[in-house]
Amino acid sequence: SCSRAKDVTMPAKVPVNFFPPRSPVVDLFRGQLDHAEQLRQGSEIVLYFFYAPWCGHSIAARGEIERVASSLSDQVLFVAVNCWWNQGKCRKQKHFFYFPVIHLYHRSFGPIEYKGPMSAVYIEKFVRRVMTPLLYISSRSKLLDFLSNYEPGVVGFFEFNASPQPPGYLTFFTSALHSLKKDYLGTIRFGVVTDKRVAEEISLVHSGSVYLHRHANTSLIYPKDIMNFTAENICKWALENREMLIRWLRPHGGKSLLLNNELKKGPALLIFIPYNPLEEIHPLLDEITKVALEYHKCNKSQAAEPHLQHVGDSDSPAFDPSVPDAHLQFSQTFPIAKYPCCNTVVLPQWHSISRTHNVCELCVNQTLGVKPNKVHVPRCNFLEIEAALDSFYLQEHTFFQVISNTIECSNFLSFYSPFSYYTACCRTVNRHFLSFIGSEKTIFQTPKVAFSSHGKKDNTQFSIPHIEDRNCFIPDLNISSTNITGLSCRTNKTLNLYLLDSNLFWIYAERLGASRSTHLKEFAAIVDLKEEVHYVLDQNQSLVGPTLENFIKNFSVLYSPLKRHLVDDPSVHSHEEHTVTEVTTNTFHETVFLSAKNVLLLYYAQWCGFCASLNHIFIQLARLLPPDSFTVARIDVTRNDLPWEFMTDRLPTILFFPHQRKEQSVKFPEDFSVNLPNLLKFILHHSSHSSSEPCTKECLQKESLLQQGHISHLEREIQRLRSEISALHQAHDQLEAQLSEARREEQRLQQQKHTLEKQHKTLQLHNEQLQATYDQKNQELLEMAEKLQELADASENLLKENALLRILVAARGGKLQSKDEIKEPLQSEQTLSEDNDISLSTAPAALEEKRIDNIDTIETEHNENRTE
Amino acid sequence: GLDVASYRERVRAMFYHAYEHYLESAFPYDELRPLTCDGQDTWGSFSLTLIDALDTLLILGNVSEFQRVVNVLQEGVDFDIDVNASVFETNIRVVGGLLSAHLLSRKAGVEVEAGWPCSGPLLRMAEEAARKLLPAFQTPTGMPYGTVNLLHGVNPGETPVTCTAGIGTFIVEFATLSHLTGDPVFEDVARKALKALWKNRSDIGLVGNHIDVITAKWVAQDAGIGAGVDSYFEYLVKGAILLQDKELMSMFLEYNKAIKNYTKFDDWYLWVQMYKGTVSMPVFQSLEAYWPGLQSLIGDVDNAMRTFLNYYTVWKQFGGLPEFYNIPQGYTVDKREGYPLRPELIESAMYLYRATRDPTLLELGRDAVESIEKISKVDCGFATIKDLRDHRLDNRMESFFLAETIKYLYLLFDPDNFIHNDGSDFDVVVTPFGECVLSAGGYIFNTEAHPIDPAALHCCRKRKEEQWEVEDLMREFYSRKKTKKFTLKRAPDRGEGENAKDPEDVSSEKAGEKRNSKKSSHSLLSCPSQSFNSKLAVLGQVFLDNT
């Protein structure tokens, strides 16, 4: 090939519009950063979208940015800059490691980088926060609203009637903007109060003071005397001291240890809800927040703060009537005093396999137990229940024996106080009936019992065993809600609470076993990384406050009724018939233990190379073994969890479960190579040896069945051999054909050889002839040469004669001169003869040359002959 | 989420844009030159792009074109040519391509001979090409020369310096050839070369970049996992899987330990001096991106994912992977800024997607499609990116673009492709050597992405004895009295690696075979099960200390 094109190169294509021409986004696709800066001068809020045209993430984010721009373009300037084009200003000045990058400016403040999800609603929410970083709080009710939010709130109090620009206000405003830089999710909210009376609610007196609200711990006031009042300090202070009762988890998609770090802290409750940050109200989120607040409400005295009640049991519905309160219903139906304080207790069984349990309804009456320090309605305090439980478990043994379907009640004294006693009504139920206990609550007639409170407060070291709430499936009843209060401080199985937006992170829910069919993307799971277990809130229940509370409580108790969730592969359809039976979590027990066959089970994973290359061996095995007595099965353990005792730590693992001795499974020894003969030997060795028994009728029947199997096997074998024979025949025919083809070819070659030989002969003949003619020619030439030689000799003689003649002539001439000196014409004759002389002498030389030429040509001719 | 089907169709369109222009403008040359719209011979004169792209045609489902090309190759390709060819490249592209086409030809509806898969025209071509390479292995060490003349053998005065990968990248193709044809010479030379490398590893267990095949002296002593070494490690693993060979696996595991010890930093793999273990180049090479895929094959999925995520950041920075990337500086290395549309990162994404179903991996696929289309698509095909800093293009389209890059991209977006068969489908083929179960999945890709069906290796020659044994055993199944006692014969244990004791032996074996279970140790030929936290290790989340 030619080398011309070797060094051909082509510069990158010139950039074109990235956004459509009519887009509300200004598209500087040649990377004109200077122009971008100019544009910024005229606008209060600017969003820069730095992109690379080849970048998939930029392309995916383009539509989202357009959506945000179309709803905010009247207030915000959207500028997209191609920061890849290497002749553009942007590329020369900025050095990005990824695209797209979003920067926001609030007047001169910026850039604030947006690092949240590339989804229009999230971006818009963030832009709006940059537009109004401070929320103006005008009234008491607004303040309570602001503070009741689950996200930490910072309130600044500035009196504007004294001066139009109260000292510190600008700093506070900047710190709000500044917080958005650090905390891209905007979890800390900043508000400003201008009314002195409103400020008093949170005991702010002086203008310029800043307050950080906390729910479970004491709220803080910014220590001006210790720290300088700067924007950065305020922001840092708020970030350090904020309270994280419940946290959003928003993995950014790149390599990150976020979940690792959070889950390593301990068991975590992950709650997945669909979340639209732009929506004004989030009833479900409020409900979850309430649970989180209750869960973390350790210090009782804190509960006295009035505004805390705003979220959950807002006893002042007059507050802010503009917001239709979704949880108003709860607060109205809160007749706690009418209900006795009861709890259902499930007693553990000695045999874990046993499917029955003793269930006891344990009650204390509160009518007499009014606590002087509590102003609110008397509640079923968890501490009290706990105390009752303490007493109850001291007597526990008496309740183990109860095995009846009727309810038996007994009263017993409190361990702590001689004046209080409790009632316990117990009965035995099957495990799966547990879920119906709630609906059977009428069975439990709770007698009124005198009760007096006791002062036991701190007993975190004391774990509270097996509480199964009676209301677990009746979410609209609120009795249980009190039990969770402050639970986080009293249990040694503290949960961290997290929220995930199921619009973005539903995949985690699916991984934890969320059903794929459900339309409602709500899901809750407790993940314990250390114990390698997770529990799932039954997806048939709606995700509301009470169910969550029950879930948390069930987790916290010592003998937790929660069962480790086993994720099952939904993509396997059990009705599909495969040669090798595909087992899942759900079909494991049935296929392996309940079937009356020998089962060979392969644990595998699709990604493991060592497993996949064995597929053909197991298929062959399944085809060989009689299907009515053997099952060859496999389970993909990446997609199917199994009970601990059936887990394996290496793949592939091969287990054999012999018929009738299923519990005595045998593992295929790992140091043997997995092939058909070895597997057969392994199975033969371990399958049941029934031959030792004496043969009865039944045995004969079995035997005949077996032999029938054998016959059909042999028939299959014959079939196989037949097809093999036919294959061999085919191959034979093919070979035959090839052979005859080869023979024909040979013949053809033979013929070719003959003709070639003939040709060779004629050529040889020709060659000889040529040789002969050559010799002949040569001879002739030699003769010619001889003749020429003779001629030359003759000419030499002639020359000599000529010279003699000249001498003669000269002698004659002399004589003539001497005789008659006057005769002129004789002289001219002499000159003529001299001329003759010269031409004669050159002739022989020319002849010589001609001869040499002749020989040369003959020689070359000869050479040519040879090469032919 | 991401519209997988539409990306799959875009990949298909990319393939045909390149393939049709090759046929039109470059065939029968080896490669297309996309900027000048003509062809050139690069690695020989084999119509290389056509051979390389053949099985991609089938993966895309184009049966008729596959059949046409098989005929074209049978008539047009001649290995009796006076050409100096790279032993390595000829093996992976030509021998590998022909072998996989041979094994897939039945699936593609090609009329096969009665002896298939143990005979056939493509197999004969592969064998012929491989025989042309055998003279290179005639060295004192058994390690092959890098270049061989297809007509005259090794040229006098040929350099004896060969890169490590050029020595250790034969076992997959050559063992397959030996198993199919019955001639053990191929597998033998490949094994001998592998053992020679193993013998010459340094005291700390590393191998360098180039070695003298006559004297066995290391000429380039940089040790790493990338250029010059890469497919040696790859073939130890793939050979172990394909041949169920413990010895190869134990070699790899030893290397893996040394690589982790000396070259791994923060989930990057650097280059070190092979004797001292000191860092010589803190760079990431585009060719190293195959490593996560390899790790996932042996079950090290979380480490694989962590490294993959590192590599992905480089892609996001440039829209491709530069040949060299300086990790501390976060930028390309001088003279190594090109991206010839290499497949390795996409390859790893495909393997990892099988293991994790993490949407992040599909995102890489999306990014690759967008980048390649935006940057390197020209009227005549797809051009190598000469410089990732400004996306200048070069006049070359390597044959691996159609053989590998497109194939892995398509397979990433086509989870139901027959290549991903998990063993639920299979074919039964009757051969003169007996009945075979084929196409049951578990395809092993050679380093040029040509899939080899591992079941085919158990189909020819050796089978007869095994079959009689199986037949005897089956008779035993149906006899009422168990006459014999069956004990397992210990397999010839080739492994040298000392096996760690398995603490948890699930089996409850009886006293009779305590003999066996006593020495029970976890097999080298197995993967660890995935840990609990792998459930949540998606969307970039990684977890620490789960070793």
Side-chain angles (χ1 to χ4, degrees):
Chain A
S1 63
C2 52
S3 58
R4 165 185 64 88
K6 216 155 217 168
D7 301 323
V8 172
T9 63
M10 195 170 94
K13 286 163 235 175
V14 176
V16 292
N17 263 323
F18 190 67
F19 282 86
R22 283 169 175 274
S23 164
V25 180
V26 180
D27 186 0
L28 303 176
F29 57 85
R30 286 198 196 83
Q32 307 98 305
L33 193 65
D34 43 347
H35 188 49
E37 302 281 351
Q38 277 169 21
L39 284 172
R40 189 155 71 84
Q41 306 310 321
S43 238
E44 193 174 348
I45 312 288
V46 183
L47 181 144
Y48 286 130
F49 178 71
F50 297 107
Y51 67 89
W54 46 262
C55 159
H57 290 87
S58 303
I59 293 166
R62 176 171 56 190
E64 306 291 318
I65 290 292
E66 282 215 276
R67 212 165 310 150
V68 181
S70 60
S71 75
L72 288 177
S73 57
D74 50 336
Q75 300 157 74
V76 179
L77 178 67
F78 288 83
V79 184
V81 187
N82 177 350
C83 216
W84 178 259
W85 175 236
N86 63 320
Q87 286 165 41
K89 269 244 163 61
C90 186
R91 175 72 189 277
K92 283 172 185 157
Q93 288 179 21
K94 295 202 183 287
H95 182 64
F96 291 130
F97 282 90
Y98 57 89
F99 298 95
V101 176
I102 294 176
H103 282 175
L104 284 139
Y105 283 87
H106 186 117
R107 290 221 183 82
S108 61
F109 188 89
I112 304 167
E113 187 176 354
Y114 173 72
K115 293 174 191 149
M118 283 296 160
S119 132
V121 281
Y122 277 89
I123 299 170
E124 182 173 340
K125 179 72 186 178
F126 190 77
V127 176
R128 286 184 184 278
R129 275 220 157 129
V130 173
M131 287 157 71
T132 47
L134 277 186
L135 196 77
Y136 174 56
I137 299 165
S138 56
S139 67
R140 185 172 169 269
S141 70
K142 285 227 173 103
L143 178 67
L144 292 179
D145 256 351
F146 182 80
L147 295 180
S148 66
N149 197 294
Y150 67 100
E151 286 175 332
V154 176
V155 183
F157 168 48
F158 296 95
E159 268 186 313
F160 278 80
N161 39 9
S163 81
Q165 184 73 269
Y169 175 72
L170 209 63
T171 313
F172 186 63
F173 185 87
T174 316
S175 83
L177 277 175
H178 203 83
S179 78
L180 290 171
K181 269 189 178 178
K182 293 262 164 63
D183 171 30
Y184 65 92
L185 301 171
T187 52
I188 301 188
R189 300 145 66 257
F190 283 73
V192 60
V193 172
T194 54
D195 188 331
K196 206 167 182 172
R197 277 167 305 168
V198 178
E200 274 165 9
E201 288 288 322
I202 44 174
S203 38
L204 294 185
V205 187
H206 304 291
S207 173
S209 38
V210 175
Y211 166 89
L212 171 68
H213 182 71
R214 300 200 290 187
H215 295 280
N217 300 300
T218 355
S219 302
L220 298 176
I221 290 179
Y222 185 76
K224 273 187 194 173
D225 39 347
I226 303 168
M227 293 168 86
N228 285 336
F229 196 77
T230 64
E232 270 164 55
N233 278 352
I234 295 170
C235 181
K236 211 176 112 195
W237 169 76
L239 278 169
E240 278 169 6
N241 294 300
R242 73 181 153 168
E243 186 175 61
M244 304 278 263
L245 299 178
I246 185 158
R247 255 191 79 176
W248 279 103
L249 293 180
R250 294 202 183 97
H252 53 69
K255 187 175 162 189
S256 127
L257 285 168
L258 177 70
L259 287 183
N260 177 73
N261 294 343
E262 294 302 325
L263 298 182
K264 286 271 157 79
K265 288 176 186 167
L269 171 60
L270 306 178
I271 305 165
F272 296 81
I273 54 166
Y275 179 69
N276 180 352
L278 290 177
E279 256 163 37
E280 289 289 327
I281 52 160
H282 302 278
L284 182 55
L285 184 57
D286 290 340
E287 226 177 290
I288 293 166
T289 311
K290 194 185 130 208
V291 175
L293 281 176
E294 286 294 317
Y295 185 65
H296 285 108
K297 200 189 282 173
C298 296
N299 191 345
K300 282 275 140 59
S301 63
Q302 275 273 316
E305 282 189 49
H307 50 259
L308 280 181
Q309 260 58 45
H310 187 60
V311 183
D313 35 284
S314 55
D315 34 12
S316 50
F319 275 2
D320 210 340
S322 64
V323 181
D325 203 341
H327 30 271
L328 219 60
Q329 288 160 314
F330 294 175
S331 44
Q332 282 163 352
T333 61
F334 216 69
I336 279 176
K338 284 179 201 156
Y339 283 86
C341 186
C342 293
N343 216 314
T344 307
V345 179
V346 182
L347 293 180
Q349 288 290 327
W350 295 119
H351 308 290
S352 57
I353 313 143
S354 162
R355 309 206 116 227
T356 62
H357 277 272
N358 288 349
V359 179
C360 297
E361 185 79 351
L362 182 70
C363 295
V364 292
N365 197 311
Q366 288 193 308
T367 45
L368 292 175
V370 178
K371 287 183 174 181
N373 59 339
K374 271 248 176 184
V375 259
H376 297 284
V377 281
R379 289 180 176 193
C380 192
N381 188 301
F382 199 87
L383 287 174
E384 284 149 11
I385 275 288
E386 198 188 329
L389 282 168
D390 287 347
S391 305
F392 177 70
Y393 285 115
L394 286 173
Q395 327 251 332
E396 200 175 43
H397 59 278
T398 60
F399 298 96
F400 276 132
Q401 312 309 325
V402 185
I403 312 273
S404 84
N405 273 333
T406 58
I407 303 156
E408 295 175 20
C409 293
S410 54
N411 296 337
F412 55 97
L413 286 173
S414 163
F415 177 62
Y416 302 100
S417 161
F419 303 110
S420 63
Y421 54 97
Y422 313 99
T423 309
C425 299
C426 300
R427 68 174 193 135
T428 303
V429 291
N430 280 332
R431 182 167 263 213
H432 65 271
F433 285 142
L434 279 181
S435 46
F436 301 115
I437 290 169
S439 55
E440 292 169 12
K441 66 175 188 293
T442 44
I443 296 170
F444 296 103
Q445 294 295 326
T446 326
K448 291 208 189 287
V449 192
F451 171 81
S452 87
S453 170
H454 53 81
K456 190 167 188 285
K457 277 226 163 146
D458 181 50
N459 55 348
T460 40
Q461 82 283 4
F462 219 99
S463 46
I464 306 106
H466 29 258
I467 295 173
E468 180 93 357
D469 194 90
R470 73 190 231 175
N471 296 315
C472 49
F473 295 98
I474 310 172
D476 54 326
L477 276 180
N478 269 295
I479 290 210
S480 58
S481 66
T482 48
N483 294 337
I484 198 176
T485 309
L487 181 58
S488 75
C489 303
R490 282 174 288 120
T491 175
N492 54 2
K493 286 158 93 179
T494 309
L495 277 173
N496 298 308
L497 311 183
Y498 299 100
L499 290 165
L500 290 103
D501 182 355
S502 46
N503 294 329
L504 300 171
F505 305 112
W506 186 243
I507 184 170
Y508 293 113
E510 281 183 358
R511 291 301 182 105
L512 294 171
S515 131
R516 270 154 229 246
S517 53
T518 175
H519 299 292
L520 196 65
K521 288 192 166 177
E522 289 173 3
F523 181 74
I526 292 172
V527 176
D528 190 338
L529 211 58
K530 212 176 105 209
E531 299 294 323
E532 307 201 331
V533 288
H534 74 286
Y535 311 98
V536 163
L537 180 63
D538 183 0
Q539 272 195 284
N540 296 322
Q541 298 180 49
S542 55
L543 185 70
V544 287
T547 55
L548 263 184
E549 286 181 11
N550 283 315
F551 190 42
I552 295 173
K553 278 186 287 179
N554 284 339
F555 173 75
S556 306
V557 297
L558 187 61
Y559 299 101
S560 169
L562 296 179
K563 282 205 284 181
R564 174 178 166 236
H565 187 78
L566 304 176
V567 179
D568 179 65
D569 185 2
S571 65
V572 174
H573 304 292
S574 50
H575 56 267
E576 269 178 49
E577 273 299 310
H578 285 304
T579 318
V580 177
T581 311
E582 194 78 48
V583 176
T584 65
T585 305
N586 289 338
T587 60
F588 177 75
H589 195 72
E590 185 192 335
T591 315
V592 175
F593 285 99
L594 299 183
S595 89
K597 296 180 189 177
N598 297 296
V599 179
L600 186 80
L601 181 66
L602 165 72
Y603 289 78
Y604 79 104
Q606 218 209 321
W607 42 264
C608 174
F610 302 107
C611 303
S613 61
L614 297 179
N615 285 346
H616 64 103
I617 292 170
F618 283 87
I619 290 166
Q620 276 178 319
L621 187 71
R623 285 162 56 84
L624 270 177
L625 292 174
D628 42 357
S629 53
F630 283 93
T631 305
V632 179
R634 59 175 196 169
I635 182 162
D636 182 343
V637 285
T638 316
R639 297 180 189 175
N640 292 283
D641 290 340
L642 286 180
W644 296 120
E645 59 270 32
F646 298 110
M647 302 243 293
T648 172
D649 58 346
R650 302 297 298 185
L651 304 170
T653 292
I654 303 160
L655 290 187
F656 183 63
F657 298 83
H659 173 46
Q660 287 166 339
R661 290 177 288 124
K662 286 289 169 71
E663 67 290 345
Q664 290 181 307
S665 60
V666 200
K667 185 179 174 187
F668 185 80
E670 281 177 326
D671 46 351
F672 285 95
S673 54
V674 181
N675 56 37
L676 215 43
N678 278 352
L679 284 172
L680 282 172
K681 280 182 213 159
F682 169 69
I683 294 170
L684 270 175
H685 184 84
H686 294 288
S687 55
S688 37
H689 306 272
S690 57
S691 55
S692 54
E693 301 156 20
C695 205
T696 61
K697 223 181 205 174
E698 212 176 294
C699 144
L700 276 173
Q701 216 160 13
K702 256 191 199 166
E703 178 62 23
S704 80
L705 262 173
L706 188 73
Q707 289 313 323
Q708 253 160 22
H710 194 189
I711 289 163
S712 65
H713 169 75
L714 286 175
E715 273 166 359
R716 277 202 307 275
E717 196 59 23
I718 289 167
Q719 204 69 37
R720 207 174 54 73
L721 284 170
R722 280 212 184 107
S723 55
E724 208 175 303
I725 288 167
S726 81
L728 277 170
H729 274 305
Q730 263 181 20
H732 179 246
D733 290 349
Q734 205 173 354
L735 271 174
E736 203 79 56
Q738 276 170 2
L739 205 68
S740 67
E741 177 75 17
R743 288 216 184 94
R744 273 202 297 278
E745 185 76 359
E746 196 196 350
Q747 210 164 358
R748 209 171 54 79
L749 284 170
Q750 204 77 38
Q751 277 172 355
Q752 220 163 17
K753 192 185 159 205
H754 278 303
T755 47
L756 278 171
E757 267 169 7
K758 258 185 218 163
Q759 272 175 352
H760 182 72
K761 258 179 203 161
T762 47
L763 276 171
Q764 217 147 21
L765 223 71
H766 195 65
N767 192 20
E768 273 164 30
Q769 280 171 354
L770 279 172
Q771 192 67 38
T773 41
Y774 165 74
D775 288 346
Q776 202 184 328
K777 288 269 152 121
N778 220 12
Q779 201 63 42
E780 280 169 20
L781 270 170
L782 279 171
E783 280 165 25
M784 202 81 101
E786 264 168 46
K787 276 179 191 163
L788 276 167
Q789 192 61 46
E790 278 167 30
L791 270 171
D793 291 348
S795 70
E796 214 163 320
N797 286 344
L798 277 172
L799 224 68
K800 278 176 190 164
E801 275 172 40
N802 195 9
L804 276 169
L805 277 172
R806 244 193 284 175
I807 296 163
L808 267 171
V809 169
R812 286 267 178 89
K815 275 179 192 170
L816 278 174
Q817 222 169 8
S818 59
K819 275 178 186 172
D820 354 81
E821 280 187 305
I822 317 133
K823 259 211 173 160
E824 284 284 300
L826 254 174
Q827 218 163 1
S828 60
E829 206 178 71
Q830 196 187 355
T831 24
L832 206 125
S833 73
E834 261 175 6
D835 275 351
N836 257 350
D837 203 332
I838 292 163
S839 63
L840 265 173
S841 65
T842 50
L847 264 174
E848 196 94 9
E849 264 174 49
K850 216 174 187 178
R851 199 184 56 152
I852 290 163
D853 272 359
N854 252 346
I855 291 167
D856 267 354
T857 43
I858 287 165
E859 214 143 32
T860 45
E861 258 174 34
H862 182 77
N863 277 344
E864 272 163 15
N865 259 349
R866 241 202 308 205
T867 46
E868 267 171 31
Chain B
L2 205 125
D3 185 0
V4 170
S6 87
Y7 275 98
R8 184 168 64 230
E9 290 318 303
R10 279 174 73 180
V11 176
R12 183 197 300 278
M14 282 165 75
F15 174 82
Y16 285 112
H17 176 68
Y19 180 75
E20 274 158 16
H21 277 105
Y22 166 77
L23 284 186
E24 205 174 287
S25 317
F27 180 76
Y29 288 110
D30 279 347
E31 285 176 14
L32 168 75
R33 288 194 298 194
L35 300 185
T36 46
C37 251
D38 54 5
Q40 67 177 337
D41 279 335
T42 48
W43 294 108
S45 189
F46 321 113
S47 308
L48 192 62
T49 300
L50 199 59
I51 295 182
D52 245 2
L54 186 51
D55 47 20
T56 311
L57 279 168
L58 183 62
I59 284 168
L60 264 57
N62 192 341
V63 177
S64 54
E65 180 65 6
F66 183 96
Q67 293 168 5
R68 189 188 74 82
V69 174
V70 166
N71 286 328
V72 169
L73 291 180
Q74 277 180 62
E75 283 157 22
V77 176
D78 182 10
F79 299 113
D80 275 321
I81 43 175
D82 186 6
V83 161
N84 295 330
S86 156
V87 182
F88 168 82
E89 299 288 351
T90 310
N91 176 51
I92 64 165
R93 302 193 199 212
V94 179
V95 179
L98 291 169
L99 273 178
S100 92
H102 164 70
L103 290 175
L104 293 173
S105 55
R106 189 171 177 274
K107 194 164 214 80
V110 175
E111 190 100 9
V112 292
E113 299 180 0
W116 187 89
C118 313
S119 76
L122 291 171
L123 178 63
R124 283 190 286 277
M125 282 173 75
E127 186 184 348
E128 193 194 339
R131 282 201 194 281
K132 300 280 181 192
L133 306 180
L134 288 180
F137 290 83
Q138 306 288 317
T139 62
T141 58
M143 297 190 278
Y145 282 97
T147 306
V148 72
N149 185 293
L150 295 186
L151 204 59
H152 308 303
V154 178
N155 290 318
E158 179 64 49
T159 171
V161 177
T162 311
C163 71
T164 310
I167 294 163
T169 313
F170 294 93
I171 190 73
V172 169
E173 294 85 1
F174 277 25
T176 305
L177 260 180
S178 284
H179 277 78
L180 293 182
T181 63
D183 185 348
V185 65
F186 302 107
E187 186 172 342
D188 289 347
V189 295
R191 275 189 191 279
K192 203 175 163 209
L194 284 177
K195 277 184 192 150
L197 281 176
W198 175 245
K199 221 178 75 192
N200 287 301
R201 70 192 188 281
S202 74
D203 290 342
I204 58 174
L206 292 171
V207 287
N209 218 278
H210 286 82
I211 194 169
D212 186 318
V213 298
I214 307 292
T215 63
K217 289 268 177 313
W218 289 100
V219 179
Q221 302 186 345
D222 288 316
I225 58 166
V229 199
D230 45 5
S231 47
Y232 170 44
F233 296 138
E234 181 186 344
Y235 271 37
L236 286 178
V237 171
K238 289 182 174 174
I241 294 172
L242 192 66
L243 305 167
Q244 294 287 309
D245 190 315
K246 290 182 181 171
E247 187 187 11
L248 298 182
M249 197 59 203
S250 72
M251 288 184 196
F252 175 78
L253 291 175
E254 286 295 313
Y255 282 130
N256 197 24
K257 242 185 263 167
I259 287 165
K260 270 189 188 159
N261 272 346
Y262 294 101
T263 75
K264 191 178 177 187
F265 295 89
D266 192 22
D267 300 324
W268 295 98
Y269 292 87
L270 313 182
W271 288 82
V272 301
Q273 215 285 337
M274 66 175 283
Y275 291 106
K276 296 181 220 143
T278 49
V279 174
S280 59
M281 282 192 294
V283 298
F284 155 61
Q285 299 181 353
S286 169
L287 283 169
E288 291 166 10
Y290 75 101
W291 189 255
L294 194 67
Q295 286 181 307
S296 86
L297 265 185
I298 59 168
D300 199 359
V301 179
D302 31 60
N303 276 316
M305 205 59 211
R306 300 220 294 253
T307 300
F308 174 86
L309 290 167
N310 277 1
Y311 296 169
Y312 190 13
T313 61
V314 181
W315 183 289
K316 286 179 185 164
Q317 193 180 346
F318 295 104
L321 293 186
E323 293 288 38
F324 282 45
Y325 178 80
N326 187 311
I327 297 160
Q329 287 175 9
Y331 213 65
T332 55
V333 172
D334 193 35
K335 303 263 182 350
R336 306 291 180 139
E337 301 96 348
Y339 174 57
L341 311 182
R342 286 195 190 283
E344 281 76 11
L345 191 63
I346 301 162
E347 173 186 352
S348 284
M350 185 207 71
Y351 281 113
L352 282 168
Y353 188 66
R354 262 189 204 175
T356 67
R357 302 277 146 180
D358 186 343
T360 310
L361 299 157
L362 294 179
E363 274 182 23
L364 170 91
R366 174 199 68 191
D367 289 3
V369 171
E370 299 287 359
S371 283
I372 292 173
E373 274 199 347
K374 283 259 157 48
I375 301 166
S376 81
K377 186 175 182 181
V378 292
D379 290 344
C380 245
F382 290 88
T384 285
I385 300 169
K386 191 180 176 64
D387 191 335
L388 272 177
R389 293 169 304 174
D390 60 3
H391 290 173
R392 168 173 292 274
L393 299 179
D394 207 352
N395 193 15
R396 197 160 175 202
M397 185 178 86
E398 296 248 23
S399 73
F400 55 66
F401 177 64
L402 290 185
E404 298 188 77
T405 314
I406 292 278
K407 191 182 286 157
Y408 286 131
L409 263 179
Y410 190 82
L411 287 174
L412 176 64
F413 290 125
D414 190 17
D416 297 327
N417 199 282
F418 77 89
I419 288 286
H420 296 312
N421 177 12
D422 63 352
S424 32
D425 290 322
F426 60 92
D427 292 334
V428 178
V429 179
V430 179
T431 75
F433 305 98
E435 190 187 83
C436 288
V437 168
L438 290 176
S439 318
Y443 293 93
I444 301 292
F445 285 98
N446 88 336
T447 194
E448 186 79 359
H450 297 305
I452 304 286
D453 183 352
L457 271 72
H458 299 264
C459 199
C460 306
R461 323 291 158 179
K462 266 200 334 199
R463 258 183 72 79
K464 265 277 111 88
E465 305 116 57
E466 190 185 300
Q467 221 170 27
W468 291 125
E469 195 181 355
V470 167
E471 210 35 60
D472 280 347
L473 289 165
M474 284 313 291
R475 202 167 309 128
E476 211 56 41
F477 258 89
Y478 293 105
S479 69
R480 208 175 63 80
K481 284 226 168 77
K482 309 285 190 245
T483 46
K484 295 180 212 161
K485 257 282 185 185
F486 290 95
T487 41
L488 292 169
K489 262 182 274 162
R490 193 159 291 275
D493 201 0
R494 283 169 143 154
E496 306 175 11
E498 49 282 84
N499 305 337
K501 279 241 167 172
D502 192 358
E504 282 166 352
D505 198 348
V506 191
S507 71
S508 53
E509 294 191 270
K510 282 178 286 171
E513 345 94 38
K514 269 279 150 65
R515 187 167 54 84
N516 285 346
S517 64
K518 206 163 58 182
K519 243 193 85 184
S520 170
S521 55
H522 83 67
S523 168
L524 293 175
L525 303 176
S526 68
C527 308
S529 311
Q530 274 186 288
S531 55
F532 173 76
N533 54 32
S534 69
K535 286 187 200 300
L536 297 171
V538 288
L539 298 182
Q541 293 305 307
V542 298
F543 289 84
L544 294 179
D545 52 66
N546 32 353
T547 38

